[in-house]
Amino acid sequence: MTIDITLPDGTIRNYESPVTGYEIAESIGPRLLKDSICIEINNNFKDLSYEITDNNTVRIVTKKDLDALNILRHSSAHILAQAVLNLYPDAQYGVGPSIENGFYYDFLFSKPLKESDLLDIELEMKKIVKSSQNFVRSEITKKDATKLFKKQTLKIELIESAESNEGVGNDTVSLYHNDEFVDLCMGPHIPNTSLLKYFKLTKLSGAYWRGDETNIQLQRIYGTSWFSKEDLNTYLIQQEEAEKRDHRKLGNELDLFTTSEELGSGNFLWKPKGAILRDVIESYSKKAHMNNGYSLVNTPHIGKSILWETSGHLDHYSENMYPPISHDENNETYYLKPMNCPFHILVYKSDLHSYKELPLRYFEFGSVYRYEKTGVLHGLLRLRGFTQDDAHIFCTTTQINDEVKTLLSFSVNLLGCYGLTEIEADLSTKPNKYIGSDSDWENATNSLKQSLTELEVPFKTAEGEGAFYGPKIDLHAKDAIGRRWQLSTIQIDFAQPDNFNIEYVNSENKKERPVMIHRALLGSVERFTAVLLEHYAGNLPGWLSPTQIDILTIGNVEEYKDKLLKDLKDYRVSIDNRNIRLGEKIHNSEKSKTPIQIIIGEQDNKKDTIALNIHGEDNSKDIDYKEGLKIIRNTLKEPEFKLNG
């Protein structure tokens, strides 16, 4: 029997018998084999040792792929657990996933660890790495697994739960062995522990078992791992720099926002400068949307319980919603909205639509409210009340490909206008529990993947992490120090059009169900502001800065100052005409990170000149007045948004 293996470039390779990922990579070339980490088959990742028995499309995942880092880090977590059990045989070990930039594993120790113990664990991990142990997958029954892990109560709970048997049968669990260590895991893993060369354990913290505050508290060991020493060192330096760029610190220094006990956790007040900043961010985005086929809508902050029952939020999202609101006047129950989508569906449903109108794109800066747990709140990055730049697109099935590509292009280019030009993506695929047909999922996932490929956006696959109602793309932007921030989301939804029974009239004058696509571009205005502050270390580009120009005066120049103000009326200008030393004025302006300082004295008034200090450039004196204005206008010019730029 001949097996045809189709590679991503369309090349077809023939094999005379079942073939493993190793063998495919080896047949292509020794360099590829050396760099190979795992294989991808139909959006599913498998070990290189996995045997393929029928015709398939296969991608060899190498160290250069974003997906490979997830595999490395999940394997790093296993090696961490192995090292811990070598040193602390009585420890209970829970779960250990890969996370952004690293990994962790949760443990229950008879005596709590100290931060200083991490060095010993690191050294034990290095011994395991050096011993070059293979990762080997196997499957056993739940009954046998219970016997195998009889001393591990956390593992017994996982075995008995539904999570342990996903994808391998109702009474079977999969295991991974390396040396004498064994763990529950679906995989895949790096082929051998020797591939983990560059890693570091970073911190120790507390964590409730399975994220539930009613469960026991474990100790969580965090680490980071990379394929090169350079990448590891870059990350560690990046973490030091990140402390200096903390948006909470910058927000206080720049007088942008504040909070108060009376507000409750997870809420912020925007001070005048902060309000200007978020207005500039919103206005630019709104203009780009309105100029590119979006219709502006506006929706309430609360909705009746029937709305959230219909949308499924009360069934699937109630733990993140605020408690119901009721009033004595009637027995109706209302909820603060956790999402804007049901309201946009009601806007769509308020009219009869023809296929000629589609795609319809509704856009709103809509405030939403989610009761996040106190432990996850973090400045503007994680809040309980925030504003999303939400768009919902209603289109036909034949329009999905073009619409996703347009959405992706729009998102990437608009983020670039704010200075976030290094974009990567996560493609989240079908989970174990889902609605809709397999063919719908396959078509939608392929549309997302094709758009990412055509627009040359690097992406990794988050296997099985799509929502139950559809696959999605999460866009991540790299900031100035290389950190990866999740921002935009493009989510295909098979559920809500059915839940709300929405329709359009097709070319045959029959009613048909549209496809719905959710899209939040900035994520939330608050989170996006935090990202920009940290990206620019507070030194925002001129067009974004709350105060764009500081005019610093020397001597009696009132008339000259007024002339300047008139010519700069379109900009956000502050004046410092106090009778203090110029050096102190400049220091105060620099401290507030104003991008342009104009210094004028009595001699400038006579010569019709100005002095200009522009952030990041050399200071200049005696600049001709008109030439100076030209420089200022160019410096503060907002970027031009081009959809296909």
Side-chain angles (χ1 to χ4, degrees):
M1 176 183 71
T2 301
I3 295 175
D4 294 335
I5 299 298
T6 304
L7 301 177
D9 64 359
T11 302
I12 299 176
R13 287 183 167 263
N14 311 115
Y15 299 89
E16 297 301 322
S17 60
V19 62
T20 65
Y22 280 120
E23 291 166 337
I24 296 172
E26 186 177 32
S27 70
I28 296 172
R31 180 62 183 270
L32 179 64
L33 178 62
K34 182 181 178 181
D35 290 340
S36 297
I37 298 299
C38 67
I39 56 175
E40 182 186 9
I41 307 173
N42 297 329
N43 298 319
N44 293 308
F45 292 97
K46 301 291 183 183
D47 295 306
L48 285 173
S49 58
Y50 180 79
E51 190 173 74
I52 304 165
T53 57
D54 52 10
N55 298 342
N56 259 303
T57 297
V58 175
R59 177 171 74 99
I60 306 292
V61 178
T62 70
K63 295 175 184 178
K64 295 179 181 179
D65 292 304
L66 293 177
D67 291 309
L69 274 173
N70 272 348
I71 308 298
L72 176 72
R73 288 165 181 164
H74 183 48
S75 302
S76 304
H78 274 240
I79 296 170
L80 165 60
Q82 183 180 2
V84 166
L85 289 179
N86 287 352
L87 296 173
Y88 307 93
D90 295 332
Q92 296 278 321
Y93 59 121
V95 293
S98 66
I99 55 173
E100 189 74 37
N101 291 322
F103 59 92
Y104 70 76
Y105 214 112
D106 291 340
F107 301 94
L108 180 62
F109 295 98
S110 56
K111 181 182 177 182
L113 292 190
K114 305 183 295 294
E115 290 280 349
S116 57
D117 295 322
L118 296 184
L119 181 58
D120 291 334
I121 298 172
E122 254 188 43
L123 291 173
E124 185 64 25
M125 289 177 70
K126 289 178 180 178
K127 291 179 184 178
I128 296 168
V129 169
K130 194 173 181 179
S131 63
S132 298
Q133 301 171 17
N134 291 330
F135 280 93
V136 180
R137 187 178 188 273
S138 63
E139 294 179 11
I140 62 173
T141 65
K142 286 175 130 184
K143 184 177 180 180
D144 288 340
T146 301
K147 292 177 183 177
L148 180 65
F149 292 99
K150 61 184 178 181
K151 294 183 179 180
Q152 292 288 335
T153 57
L154 302 179
K155 295 296 181 185
I156 297 296
E157 184 178 330
L158 290 175
I159 291 166
E160 293 173 347
S161 72
E163 292 180 18
S164 65
N165 57 27
E166 291 172 353
V168 292
N170 291 330
D171 194 42
T172 309
V173 295
S174 62
L175 308 174
Y176 272 86
H177 300 255
N178 49 293
D179 197 29
E180 296 180 1
F181 176 74
V182 61
D183 203 353
L184 293 167
C185 186
M186 288 298 298
H189 282 286
I190 55 178
N192 189 282
T193 60
S194 62
L195 285 168
L196 179 61
K197 294 179 180 177
Y198 308 104
F199 70 93
K200 183 173 180 58
L201 299 183
T202 53
K203 66 177 179 178
L204 192 63
S205 72
Y208 291 107
W209 172 232
R210 306 184 85 169
D212 189 335
E213 295 173 357
T214 62
N215 286 338
I216 58 172
Q217 190 172 48
L218 309 177
Q219 282 194 288
R220 177 170 292 176
I221 300 176
Y222 285 93
T224 185
S225 56
W226 303 82
F227 281 113
S228 74
K229 186 176 182 179
E230 181 184 5
D231 286 343
L232 173 61
N233 290 339
T234 298
Y235 174 75
L236 296 176
I237 293 170
Q238 173 195 100
Q239 294 308 103
E240 294 177 9
E241 177 65 22
E243 292 183 20
K244 304 173 189 175
R245 294 171 177 253
D246 191 310
H247 72 277
R248 295 167 297 182
K249 173 174 170 285
L250 291 168
N252 182 57
E253 292 174 357
L254 301 179
D255 202 28
L256 301 177
F257 44 79
T258 186
T259 189
S260 168
E261 287 186 12
E262 291 87 345
L263 287 177
S265 300
N267 295 290
F268 278 79
L269 298 168
W270 291 77
K271 301 174 85 169
K273 286 186 177 180
I276 290 172
L277 173 57
R278 70 176 290 161
D279 180 65
V280 174
I281 291 170
E282 290 181 11
S283 296
Y284 187 81
S285 175
K286 187 182 292 185
K287 182 170 67 175
H289 281 84
M290 299 298 286
N291 290 340
N292 285 279
Y294 287 80
S295 298
L296 191 65
V297 297
N298 189 270
T299 62
H301 292 246
I302 63 173
K304 289 172 66 173
S305 58
I306 185 65
L307 178 67
W308 309 109
E309 289 167 9
T310 304
S311 68
H313 284 90
L314 284 180
D315 287 334
H316 298 284
Y317 203 74
S318 59
E319 65 180 20
N320 293 104
M321 295 173 67
Y322 273 83
I325 304 166
S326 58
H327 196 279
D328 293 340
E329 183 180 353
N330 54 52
N331 290 321
E332 293 177 334
T333 302
Y334 293 81
Y335 287 88
L336 284 169
K337 63 176 177 180
M339 298 182 187
N340 298 301
C341 38
F343 293 100
H344 289 194
I345 294 170
L346 294 183
V347 173
Y348 177 90
K349 200 173 180 179
S350 66
D351 294 301
L352 181 66
H353 298 286
S354 162
Y355 71 97
K356 294 180 180 179
E357 298 175 71
L358 303 185
L360 273 174
R361 307 181 184 103
Y362 295 145
F363 169 74
E364 172 183 23
F365 277 104
S367 296
V368 296
Y369 308 90
R370 301 174 187 174
Y371 198 84
E372 302 281 5
K373 292 181 179 179
T374 303
V376 302
L377 298 174
H378 183 78
L380 298 183
L381 295 174
R382 197 72 176 263
L383 296 164
R384 287 177 173 156
F386 52 93
T387 302
Q388 288 190 304
D389 61 329
D390 247 345
H392 292 91
I393 293 87
F394 302 88
C395 63
T396 68
T397 53
T398 57
Q399 292 172 331
I400 292 178
N401 281 352
D402 289 340
E403 193 59 26
V404 167
K405 188 176 178 181
T406 299
L407 282 170
L408 189 59
S409 176
F410 185 93
S411 301
V412 168
N413 286 307
L414 188 57
L415 291 174
C417 290
Y418 290 101
L420 299 168
T421 56
E422 286 193 65
I423 307 297
E424 299 173 346
D426 287 353
L427 172 61
S428 298
T429 62
K430 184 174 64 181
N432 291 297
K433 296 179 181 178
Y434 61 94
I435 65 168
S437 68
D438 287 338
S439 61
D440 282 344
W441 273 88
E442 184 176 352
N443 291 337
T445 303
N446 287 338
S447 292
L448 297 176
K449 183 177 288 189
Q450 181 181 338
S451 297
L452 289 166
T453 302
E454 288 183 11
L455 293 172
E456 298 181 344
V457 178
F459 71 94
K460 63 180 179 180
T461 304
E463 186 180 344
E465 293 186 16
F468 73 94
Y469 50 82
K472 67 172 179 172
I473 290 172
D474 289 316
L475 293 182
H476 298 252
K478 280 190 176 181
D479 68 9
I481 59 172
R483 291 174 300 175
R484 201 168 175 259
W485 297 93
Q486 181 181 330
L487 296 174
S488 310
T489 296
I490 299 172
Q491 170 85 62
I492 295 176
D493 189 342
F494 300 125
Q496 297 299 2
D498 285 336
N499 289 345
F500 285 89
N501 193 29
I502 58 174
E503 298 171 324
Y504 69 93
V505 178
N506 65 21
S507 59
E508 297 175 355
N509 207 31
K510 294 180 180 178
K511 290 184 177 179
E512 192 170 334
R513 190 80 74 220
V515 175
M516 182 177 177
I517 305 174
H518 305 250
R519 195 242 53 202
L521 199 158
L522 306 181
S524 78
V525 177
E526 292 80 1
R527 177 180 170 80
F528 191 70
T529 301
V531 171
L532 288 181
L533 286 173
E534 298 202 11
H535 173 57
Y536 289 110
N539 293 298
L540 295 164
W543 72 278
L544 275 174
S545 185
T547 302
Q548 297 174 297
I549 303 167
D550 281 339
I551 297 178
L552 314 179
T553 64
I554 307 171
N556 184 14
V557 288
E558 282 298 304
E559 289 186 11
Y560 200 48
K561 176 205 72 178
D562 290 342
K563 175 186 175 184
L564 254 180
L565 283 175
K566 183 178 179 182
D567 288 331
L568 297 173
K569 66 181 185 302
D570 293 330
Y571 301 100
R572 299 181 290 276
V573 182
S574 177
I575 302 163
D576 190 344
N577 56 5
R578 294 174 297 167
N579 187 25
I580 60 174
R581 291 185 303 108
L582 176 62
E584 188 174 345
K585 293 183 180 184
I586 292 174
H587 173 74
N588 290 336
S589 178
E590 289 176 344
K591 189 176 178 180
S592 65
K593 300 187 185 294
T594 305
I596 295 179
Q597 299 167 357
I598 301 176
I599 302 168
I600 52 172
E602 293 174 359
Q603 289 300 312
D604 292 299
N605 189 7
K606 293 177 182 177
K607 297 187 294 182
D608 205 27
T609 59
I610 59 174
L612 270 182
N613 297 348
I614 299 176
H615 176 74
E617 299 181 17
D618 293 335
N619 298 339
S620 303
K621 296 180 180 179
D622 299 324
I623 299 174
D624 176 74
Y625 184 88
K626 289 184 178 179
E627 181 62 25
L629 291 182
K630 184 178 178 181
I631 294 171
I632 290 167
R633 291 188 182 107
N634 285 334
T635 302
L636 299 181
K637 184 180 179 182
E638 70 176 29
E640 183 181 358
F641 175 75
K642 293 180 180 179
L643 182 55
N644 296 311

